[in-house]
Amino acid sequence: MPIHILQPQVAAQIAAGEVIERPASVVKELIENSIDAGATDIRVEVREGGRSLIRVQDDGRGIPAAEAPLAFQRHATSKIDTLDDLDRLRTLGFRGEALASIAAVAGVTLVTRWHDEQVGVMLRMMDGREAAREPRGGPAGTVLTVENLFASMPARLKFLKQPATEAGLIQQIVTRYALAYPERRFSLVNDGRQAFQSTGSGKLYDVLVRVHGLETARQMLPVGDVGAEPRADDAPTGIRVTGYAGVPGLHRSNRSYITLFVNHRWFQDSTLTYAVVQAYHTLLPTGRFPVAVIFIEVDPAEVDVNVHPTKAEVRFSNGNAVFGAVQRAVRETLTAHAPVPRFGAEPAPGAWAGAEDWAARREALLGAGRRDYRQYPLKPELGDALVPGGPDDMPAKVPLLRVVGQMGATYIVAEGPDGLYLIDQHAAHERILYEQLMRQHATQTLAVQALLEPLVLETTTEQQPFIAAAMEALKEWGIAIEPFGAGTYLVRSVPAILAREDPHGALHELADGLAQEANPLEAARESALVTLICKRAAVKGGQPLTMPEMQEMARQLEACESPRTCPHGRPTMIFMSAADLARNFDRT
Ligand code: ADP
Ligand code: MG
């Protein structure tokens, strides 16, 4: 094919691909326009995950009737004139691309009335061209309706996820803007159902409650002087950091609960996310991440928002200063409000909880003048003598065990007829609970605890599709759960083993765990659910146990079908035979 210039419609569709990736991108662009128009009430409605319909209605200043067709031209904007204006940018938009892009890939109807005009205008765009225009009365403000997104682009359509997933992404966008603009009201209606609403009270905390739920919001601490107007003398660097950060006890299995904004614009940045995580250094168990909503304010000249097609990333002229400011602000909040916990955190690999204590005790015992046993290094072969899972030559059972004591509040030391057993208390308890639960389920005697008052579980957008899919499995395993609207569920019962402590935290962990389960098969989901329940209910490493508790655990482990591995297949115990011990002490 010879070189030729693409048809305008094709070129427009290709260019649109940069900005409009999926329904959530349309929602993002339309909300940004409403915010830039000074709207205080922004209503979003979507159908079928935004595929068939997206409508954003605002009470902003509107568009003058004569300018309406221009709004759909590429590079047509009312927000900047020259490149220098970017250094003073106070608006979210500036490229004049969004409406043109959306009109290239969907049917668009604009109804708008400029606040200073008597009559408004209705303008319909089809295939990127004007299809109808007529005067229209109505309140000042703008309604943009986008229909049949990507209808003419099968390749794009194929790439879209399930409507529920797309709706989830849309909700994520709406909640981000609600957080960034607490003084404006946002609402989202999904397939006729109210999915989210903020009050516009101006209080960030109120929005936090709507986004994360009361239970989580209560565990969040203010960072900086939230709510106060920025002052010139706030920070010598001109960088201001505010927001909310969770107490260390509130943690999640991934980083997605850390939300960043710069000058009221959401953005993603792994370095600054790391700055937040860093501020929690030593306060969180390994592999766990905090919940935080962080607002950074800088001079617009100090941040380049024009480096990413959808503006999801930005570049700071002094990245190090911003990193330091974020880390400091969060750390200050944590040290001011939250004491460092002693136990509860999982021990770092290679150490065990209470290791420092133990070292100190040992030093005291050894005392001055005594020989330090460390002068006698263990024989190198000792490593080979330790057998994970137990001795090979016996059936998968364990013999009667005599508990000797607990080590590092994490391992149970026990003696068997054939040698020494070191038992991982968490893994062993997981195994015990797993077999208990399976047995009860098989004999239809599952111990279920009805809750006195139904528990309200607020879930995140990511968790929702997984909970919906696992509804049957949850019921099957004692969690009576029903949708209660706007991403909340009523939980009326839980398995008895989860009832003892904080069922709310337990359910949250289950929801997160389900969202992580990659295998969509019903059976896989169910077995993931059962192991998750056991994991949560089992005693943790770092938890001191009494002698009777350990004896009971040993007794239950002896009764297990497969006592040597936990439900995930990891060993519950390490074994060293009496013969190996003797050999290592040169007794033979
Ligand atoms: P940009 O936001 O980058 O200027 P858009 O294509 O998103 O580009 O919008 C083009 C123009 O249309 C805007 O500059 C603005 O003047 C006008 N506009 C779009 N949406 C609205 C709205 N909801 N209220 C008022 N004006 C709007
Ligand atoms: Mg725009």
Side-chain angles (χ1 to χ4, degrees):
M1 171 180 331
I3 298 180
H4 65 293
I5 307 269
L6 287 172
Q7 292 294 314
Q9 169 73 359
V10 178
Q13 286 186 334
I14 289 173
E18 285 263 294
V19 195
I20 306 301
E21 203 186 0
R22 55 179 358 119
S25 343
V26 175
V27 173
K28 171 183 184 288
E29 294 299 336
L30 297 185
I31 290 182
E32 290 194 347
N33 282 346
S34 296
I35 292 170
D36 286 346
T40 56
D41 190 355
I42 298 167
R43 300 174 190 203
V44 183
E45 185 191 342
V46 299
R47 278 191 219 137
E48 292 177 70
R51 223 184 248 222
S52 58
L53 178 115
I54 296 169
R55 177 174 289 141
V56 176
Q57 175 172 6
D58 71 45
D59 61 350
R61 65 181 75 92
I63 304 175
E67 288 180 22
L70 207 52
F72 289 96
Q73 299 275 318
R74 193 162 294 279
H75 313 305
T77 181
S78 57
K79 299 171 192 175
I80 61 166
D81 241 339
T82 67
L83 210 54
D84 289 347
D85 289 343
L86 281 184
D87 284 348
R88 297 178 284 272
L89 194 69
R90 295 279 165 201
T91 54
L92 294 164
F94 54 84
R95 292 185 185 145
E97 261 179 355
L99 291 188
S101 297
I102 297 168
V105 295
V108 180
T109 309
L110 164 72
V111 175
T112 186
R113 180 164 75 78
W114 177 243
H115 60 97
D116 234 10
E117 289 176 347
Q118 294 296 318
V119 188
V121 65
M122 187 283 292
L123 179 64
R124 194 190 306 279
M125 302 288 292
M126 291 297 243
D127 301 321
R129 273 186 286 272
E130 188 175 317
R133 183 173 2 160
E134 60 195 42
R136 184 64 70 85
T142 303
V143 187
L144 256 151
T145 308
V146 178
E147 282 163 294
N148 305 323
L149 182 66
F150 300 141
S152 59
M153 306 171 82
R156 276 277 154 153
L157 266 188
K158 231 184 294 165
F159 162 87
L160 293 188
K161 299 261 170 37
Q162 294 294 317
T165 310
E166 295 294 342
L169 293 169
I170 289 170
Q171 184 161 342
Q172 195 172 52
I173 296 281
V174 177
T175 54
R176 272 181 203 152
Y177 286 102
L179 285 167
Y181 296 90
E183 68 289 350
R184 308 185 197 221
R185 273 182 52 145
F186 289 84
S187 72
L188 171 65
V189 171
N190 177 20
D191 285 329
R193 216 174 43 91
Q194 179 96 42
F196 175 81
Q197 182 163 34
S198 69
T199 59
S201 69
K203 294 199 193 86
L204 176 58
Y205 184 80
D206 290 348
V207 192
L208 270 186
V209 172
R210 294 296 173 102
V211 174
H212 288 293
L214 183 61
E215 214 42 59
T216 300
R218 271 199 191 134
Q219 299 178 68
M220 306 218 21
L221 306 166
V223 174
D225 197 358
V226 221
E229 285 300 310
R231 293 192 313 261
D233 60 342
D234 254 338
T237 51
I239 302 164
R240 184 167 181 267
V241 178
T242 58
Y244 278 87
V247 298
L250 178 71
H251 44 73
R252 302 279 188 250
S253 55
N254 59 63
R255 294 174 182 80
S256 69
Y257 294 85
I258 302 170
T259 316
L260 302 170
F261 298 89
V262 59
N263 296 346
H264 300 267
R265 181 194 298 278
W266 174 83
F267 72 110
Q268 57 193 20
D269 186 314
S270 54
T271 309
L272 290 180
T273 300
Y274 181 65
V276 176
V277 175
Q278 265 285 297
Y280 284 80
H281 185 58
T282 74
L283 297 179
L284 293 182
T286 39
R288 304 291 295 180
F289 301 93
V291 179
V293 177
I294 301 297
F295 292 92
I296 302 161
E297 276 160 72
V298 297
D299 184 332
E302 297 297 312
V303 55
D304 189 351
V305 295
N306 193 26
V307 295
H308 189 269
T310 63
K311 305 173 191 144
E313 287 165 20
V314 303
R315 199 180 294 138
F316 292 99
S317 59
N318 191 349
N320 287 342
V322 178
F323 185 98
V326 168
Q327 194 194 37
R328 219 173 309 117
V330 176
R331 187 74 192 181
E332 269 165 21
T333 295
L334 294 177
T335 45
H337 295 266
V340 178
R342 264 192 53 78
F343 274 114
E346 294 196 18
W352 61 77
E356 280 166 31
D357 255 26
W358 178 80
R361 276 206 310 274
R362 191 192 55 190
E363 291 306 321
L365 275 177
L366 289 172
R370 294 236 199 132
R371 306 270 295 275
D372 185 339
Y373 74 76
R374 283 172 297 185
Q375 289 171 5
Y376 303 96
L378 289 178
K379 296 195 164 252
E381 310 89 82
L382 189 63
D384 302 334
L386 296 170
V387 185
D392 280 339
D393 54 345
M394 66 181 204
K397 300 282 187 179
V398 287
L400 293 179
L401 296 173
R402 183 179 71 86
V403 173
V404 177
Q406 192 186 23
M407 199 179 96
T410 297
Y411 305 104
I412 298 170
V413 186
E415 177 190 6
D418 45 357
L420 168 79
Y421 289 78
L422 255 185
I423 301 167
D424 180 318
Q425 64 192 38
H426 173 68
H429 199 207
E430 273 186 306
R431 160 57 61 187
I432 293 166
L433 293 175
Y434 182 77
E435 293 201 5
Q436 231 170 51
L437 218 55
M438 295 304 273
R439 204 164 41 238
Q440 290 178 359
H441 185 254
T443 55
Q444 302 191 337
T445 54
L446 193 73
V448 173
Q449 173 77 57
L451 299 174
L452 284 179
E453 254 180 77
L455 184 153
V456 179
L457 179 69
E458 289 133 340
T459 60
T460 64
T461 328
E462 286 84 33
Q463 294 168 345
Q464 280 156 29
F466 296 96
I467 294 188
M471 219 64 156
E472 277 310 305
L474 286 164
K475 231 170 252 153
E476 186 69 26
W477 290 92
I479 303 174
I481 183 169
E482 58 199 66
F484 192 52
T488 61
Y489 292 85
L490 277 190
V491 182
R492 300 193 181 275
S493 73
V494 294
I497 57 171
L498 284 183
R500 262 171 303 146
E501 24 107 37
D502 180 26
H504 195 272
L507 286 166
H508 245 287
E509 202 161 295
L510 285 188
D512 253 355
L514 284 174
Q516 304 262 303
E517 172 61 43
N519 192 332
L521 287 181
E522 182 69 34
R525 198 153 45 219
E526 199 164 322
S527 93
L529 178 66
V530 178
T531 42
L532 281 166
I533 292 173
C534 297
K535 184 183 163 97
R536 172 68 194 203
V539 298
K540 305 286 180 292
Q543 196 168 315
L545 298 175
T546 63
M547 205 55 160
E549 283 172 332
M550 291 188 283
Q551 285 161 346
E552 175 63 14
M553 197 181 288
R555 198 191 57 72
Q556 292 184 347
L557 199 60
E558 289 158 16
C560 278
E561 293 289 325
S562 319
R564 293 208 238 154
T565 55
C566 80
H568 307 92
R570 287 191 291 273
T572 55
M573 56 181 68
I574 286 174
F575 172 71
M576 189 177 206
S577 73
D580 278 328
L581 277 170
R583 213 175 10 258
N584 274 284
F585 285 113
D586 288 342
R587 283 175 164 274
T588 49

